[in-house]
Structure formats: C-alpha cells, structure tokens
Amino acid sequence: MTERRRVLIQGAGAVSAAAGALLAGTGADVRAASRRADVLLTAVDPRGVVAHVPVVRYADVEPGTVDLLILTSAPGVLDDGVATTLAAARPETVGVTSPVIGDAAVAERMFPGAGIATLAPGLLSFATARGTETRAEFWVPPLAPAFAAVAVEGSPGLPRRLAAEYPKVIGRTPARAAAAVGAAMVPYAAELAIVGGDWPTFLRRLKRPGRAMAEAMRVDVGLPAPAPPPIVVRAVLRQLCRTVPFDFPKFAGNHFVRHADQSLRILDAWRAMTPRATPALDALREDLAAAL
C-alpha cells in the first residue's frame, strides 16, 4: 500500500482552506500550520460542500514529516522562528505561491536540498472570520487547475511530477505563460488597490492600467501588446461578476488592497528589468506607493 503524501500549508487563511480541501481530495494527508492550534479552518465549494482542514501550531511541526510544503506568504516575510521550523520539517518539495520575481530564489536559500516550484493560484477564495473559525468560499475556473506549477532553475521536471501526484489540483504551465497572466492582471490589481477597492471608481480608471499592462507585457514577456480598450475590460469584468459564485467586486477589492505591497514589489521588479521608458507603470507605482 502506497504511503499517503504529506502536505503542509503555511498559514491558515482563505488560500490554505481551499488548497487544503482540494489536496485532501487527491488522497493526501493535509495540514495547515498556524501560530494557534484552536483555529477552525473551513472550506466551502460552489456546491456548498463543506470541508474542514486540520490546523497545527508551527511549534508542533515535526522534523522530516513533509512531502510538499506550500507557502501562502512570501518566503522573505516569514519571521525567523517560523522559517526555522518549516526548514526543520525538511520538505521534499516547496511550492511558492508568491508571484513576485525573486521569491522562488529566496525559498531555494531557505530550503536547501528541496525542489522548488512556483504554484500560481488559479482559484479565487473569499474568507470570513467568525470567532476562531476562518470560513472560506472558493471557486476554481472550469477546466483550470487550482494551482499552475511553474518550473524554476534547478527543478525543471518538478511541475510534471506535482501534476501527477496531485491531479486536477496542480497543473503545469510554461514560465512565459505565467508571466503573461501576471502582466495582464497586476496593473489592474494595483489600480484597484490605489482607489481602496472602490469598484465603481476603479471602472472609471481603466485606461492607465491598460497602458501599464502593455508596458509590462513588453518588459516581462517580450511581447508587443496593445492596451485593451476600457470597454473590452468592462465586458470581461461583467462576465466574471456573473460567473464567480460570490460577490466578485467585494472579493477583488478586499484581496488586492490586502496584497497591495505584493503588487508594488512586482511593479518594482518590472521597472528594474528594463532601461526603456515605462510611463504608465511608473505612474501606477508612484500612486500605489503613496497609497500604502
């Protein structure tokens, strides 16, 4: 009988709840790690099916007990105690959900000997707190994996193995395709954060992130791309609002305001990648920095 794969998810938030429920469905033994053990982590799928993800304290994670560790926080922001505990677990594989350029390299230094992959989240998860319970509704777009595994230097075959071990939850995607998705999304995420998540105001300010998106495509992906007309972007957003089974404007506003620092780090990384002028990205970066 094959031993169950052991998965530890750092953090006990919305992504941890959704990922935990989905990965448990592949037969894995899944735990989330938190500073507290009394957290009730609940995931609710679009059909209303409820799953509870066990939570352990960081201090109770035993050495050598993890096949896959998923970091829901950027590795560089983990405090020393948490980082040391997670490294002592000696994970075979570490999945970094942060899309910031360079964060996978930080994880490589933190977890020497582990295989490292970027796990780009494709799911949307929306959490509410009720006392000690974190309850997360989540949705995965049809025909898409919850996480897209992207290879990093030194672990070229890892995405294929992860997709085989955790089918329908982790898929594979080329690095360039993942970069294109980030270039398309992050400028709009930054603009939404600048206006404090106010959806009607955001919908009136779609020109600048569209121009910034075109600049980001050129810088990060190497593709010439026109700025999408606001009318096209509004149509896409309307379709999302109709498709996602919870309040998408509320989700997007909350999510991207909370992760504004991540968007700023990505804008900084893009700017550092090119000597060419990027006026829309520069303006977006300046306003986002002022909003933080």
Side-chain angles (χ1 to χ4, degrees):
M1 183 175 178
T2 303
E3 184 179 352
R4 295 176 72 192
R5 294 177 300 279
R6 299 159 300 181
V7 178
L8 183 68
I9 307 173
Q10 171 267 319
V15 172
S16 298
L22 291 167
L23 288 166
T26 70
D29 178 13
V30 183
R31 299 287 187 274
S34 173
R35 296 186 184 282
R36 297 165 48 190
D38 62 344
V39 176
L40 179 61
L41 192 57
T42 304
V44 184
D45 75 11
R47 299 166 298 169
V49 176
V50 175
H52 298 294
V53 179
V55 178
V56 297
R57 295 189 308 157
Y58 289 119
D60 295 331
V61 176
E62 297 179 1
T65 57
V66 178
D67 296 310
L68 171 63
L69 169 65
I70 297 177
L71 301 178
T72 63
S73 300
V77 306
L78 298 175
D79 68 37
D80 291 343
V82 170
T84 299
T85 297
L86 295 177
R90 297 194 297 276
E92 178 183 346
T93 303
V94 177
V96 181
T97 61
S98 169
V100 180
I101 297 166
D103 276 359
V106 174
E108 287 179 321
R109 294 191 293 271
M110 290 175 60
F111 302 96
I116 307 294
T118 297
L119 292 182
L123 57 82
L124 303 183
S125 52
F126 186 81
T128 54
R130 304 174 182 177
T132 60
E133 180 185 22
T134 294
R135 185 180 181 88
E137 299 177 48
F138 70 92
W139 174 74
V140 181
L143 306 179
F147 295 92
V150 181
V152 302
E153 188 175 355
S155 302
L158 190 53
R160 182 185 296 274
R161 178 167 67 79
L162 289 172
E165 291 178 343
Y166 307 98
K168 299 183 180 179
V169 178
I170 299 179
R172 296 181 292 146
T173 193
R176 199 178 190 202
V181 171
M185 291 180 53
V186 171
Y188 292 98
E191 193 73 63
L192 185 55
I194 288 167
V195 299
D198 185 280
W199 192 255
T201 302
F202 168 66
L203 292 178
R204 295 193 295 269
R205 295 170 57 120
L206 298 176
K207 284 187 178 180
R208 179 171 67 174
R211 293 194 296 267
M213 187 210 81
E215 293 173 357
M217 282 288 187
R218 186 192 74 215
V219 168
D220 197 14
V221 189
L223 291 176
I231 191 172
V232 172
V233 179
R234 289 191 191 96
V236 172
L237 294 173
R238 280 197 299 271
Q239 183 60 40
L240 269 174
C241 290
R242 288 193 291 264
T243 305
V244 176
F246 44 75
D247 188 332
F248 179 73
K250 182 179 179 180
F251 158 79
N254 289 340
H255 180 80
F256 292 119
V257 168
R258 286 201 319 273
H259 294 283
D261 58 333
Q262 185 180 84
S263 295
L264 182 61
R265 293 177 63 211
I266 295 173
L267 296 176
D268 285 341
W270 284 337
R271 193 64 195 91
M273 291 169 67
T274 179
R276 296 177 61 180
T278 53
L281 283 174
D282 291 350
L284 202 60
R285 191 257 171 228
E286 182 178 343
D287 285 356
L288 184 57
L292 288 175

